[in-house]
Amino acid sequence: RKLWLSLTDITMLPPELSYCSNLTDLKVDGTPLKSPPKEVTQLGTVRILSYLTALQLAKEGDTLDLSYFSLTTVPFEITYLSHVTSLNLDHNRLKNLWPLVPKEVPTERDKAVIVGGGEWAHEPEQTQWWVEPDEPFKAVGPMDGLHTPHIPEYPVHKLGNMVNLITLTVRNNRIIELPGPCFSRFQTSLRELKIDDNRIATLPMDMHTLDMLESFSMKGNPVTHPPIDYETEGFPTLRNYWKRIDAAFSTGICELVHLSLKVFPREFAEDERLSHKVTYLDLSGNNITHVHPGMDTMTALEVLRLNENKIK
């Protein structure tokens, strides 16, 4: 019923601790814990065990639910669970989705505590068991060695290591930016993305790589860019917008016709890779009311079409 670990050198609590159903008094004050994060340990025994239960269920299955834990950063340890297909981070206090790596860099032993000690026993009626890593104090990372377009090696403690994610939901947080470089890692897996009720003003262009995305919701965000009426057009139009701009980086030609654009796309004036490259830009059939004040930076532009807009 009681487990007092105060003033010990323990750095990680194993998810299997959640099996201690009679545990009512767990003390971890004064320990150099890397996991669970401090936001969880401050909530007391019940919430610590709830957090560890969520990790254990994710190990045994493919769903990780860390909603309602008052998290201010994404726990780094979840990036070890690369088999997970559904991640729920709703109703926390996250400002971004970049996992925070502790000052004391995670080691092979720390990772082993989360994923099970280097190896699992799957024989019938045999329980999962611990195996000490060969180099327990070796730092984990910083790269995972997996191939990613435009990223030769990807840092270990990044959300993009969860390469099997099908569903990612981060509703009701305080997020102001999305982790653009991660999205290319989800290109063939992610099918559902929910970012409602956050503080996101700009959606990263990297989202155009989400070729399999079927369900996307972003209500309750002050999104101003891309300048598309999402409620009318939906994600396919957003993806089309990004892909056409991506192609313009190499061709110098871009047609963004009948996309319900509300303002002149700022990329063409503010990104030198486009402003000094694009020679042909067709923005016909949109709802643009004025051109960008920085149009003079588009030094390569030869043809600009603005027919059927609302420019006076």
Side-chain angles (χ1 to χ4, degrees):
R1 293 181 181 274
K2 294 183 179 182
L3 179 59
W4 294 358
L5 303 173
S6 303
L7 302 177
T8 63
D9 293 328
I10 291 176
T11 58
M12 309 282 286
L13 293 183
E16 289 81 3
L17 188 61
S18 61
Y19 289 138
C20 298
S21 57
N22 292 324
L23 184 60
T24 58
D25 188 6
L26 173 61
K27 296 186 182 299
V28 294
D29 48 298
T31 61
L33 276 182
K34 302 175 186 177
S35 173
K38 185 164 70 172
E39 304 98 282
V40 175
T41 58
Q42 289 176 338
L43 298 175
T45 301
V46 173
R47 294 304 283 157
I48 292 175
L49 293 178
S50 295
Y51 181 87
L52 296 175
T53 296
L55 291 182
Q56 185 60 29
L57 289 174
K59 287 172 61 174
E60 297 173 353
D62 56 12
T63 298
L64 179 54
D65 185 352
L66 294 181
S67 57
Y68 294 99
F69 277 103
S70 299
L71 298 172
T72 57
T73 58
V74 176
F76 77 93
E77 61 267 29
I78 74 172
T79 63
Y80 300 143
L81 303 175
S82 58
H83 68 286
V84 165
T85 60
S86 177
L87 175 60
N88 184 347
L89 292 169
D90 291 347
H91 300 282
N92 284 292
R93 295 181 292 159
L94 302 172
K95 292 184 178 180
N96 58 57
L97 294 177
W98 297 107
L100 179 66
V101 181
K103 291 182 180 179
E104 293 295 328
V105 180
T107 64
E108 290 285 355
R109 179 176 288 170
D110 294 331
K111 180 178 179 180
V113 171
I114 298 299
V115 301
E119 138 174 46
W120 292 92
H122 292 292
E123 299 298 327
E125 301 181 1
Q126 190 171 1
T127 58
Q128 297 162 343
W129 53 286
W130 165 267
V131 175
E132 179 77 358
D134 292 334
E135 299 181 65
F137 298 111
K138 179 183 177 182
V140 177
M143 305 296 180
D144 68 2
L146 297 178
H147 174 71
T148 300
H150 313 301
I151 308 177
E153 291 184 298
Y154 196 82
V156 168
H157 302 114
K158 300 293 184 186
L159 199 65
N161 283 299
M162 305 184 76
V163 292
N164 291 297
L165 275 185
I166 295 175
T167 299
L168 173 60
T169 172
V170 294
R171 295 169 295 187
N172 293 97
N173 279 279
R174 304 172 185 178
I175 298 170
I176 58 176
E177 66 170 349
L178 293 174
C182 290
F183 288 117
S184 60
R185 307 273 285 188
F186 305 145
Q187 182 169 7
T188 59
S189 64
L190 197 65
R191 287 169 170 75
E192 184 176 24
L193 177 61
K194 297 180 179 180
I195 62 172
D196 309 81
D197 300 310
N198 281 286
R199 303 174 184 179
I200 300 167
T202 299
L203 299 178
M205 184 174 171
D206 309 73
M207 289 178 68
H208 84 275
T209 60
L210 299 176
D211 292 334
M212 304 302 291
L213 196 66
E214 300 169 352
S215 176
F216 174 62
S217 59
M218 63 175 193
K219 294 179 180 179
N221 283 283
V223 175
T224 57
H225 193 79
I228 290 176
D229 185 348
Y230 175 75
E231 296 300 323
T232 301
E233 299 295 332
F235 189 77
T237 299
L238 279 174
R239 182 164 48 206
N240 188 26
Y241 172 88
W242 284 315
K243 285 188 177 292
R244 291 186 181 187
I245 290 180
D246 186 55
F249 284 110
S250 57
T251 65
I253 298 172
C254 191
E255 296 182 348
L256 299 174
V257 179
H258 298 292
L259 295 181
S260 299
L261 297 181
K262 295 181 284 187
V263 298
F264 191 100
R266 68 191 189 201
E267 299 98 316
F268 295 102
E270 298 177 2
D271 190 330
E272 291 185 357
R273 296 173 300 168
L274 289 172
S275 62
H276 297 170
K277 176 72 176 181
V278 172
T279 58
Y280 179 93
L281 178 59
D282 190 347
L283 299 173
S284 303
N286 288 292
N287 300 314
I288 299 171
T289 58
H290 60 277
V291 297
H292 194 283
M295 274 282 297
D296 58 337
T297 63
M298 300 183 67
T299 55
L301 189 64
E302 298 175 3
V303 177
L304 173 62
R305 298 190 184 279
L306 290 166
N307 323 13
E308 302 177 62
N309 274 282
K310 298 181 180 179
I311 299 175
K312 297 180 181 180

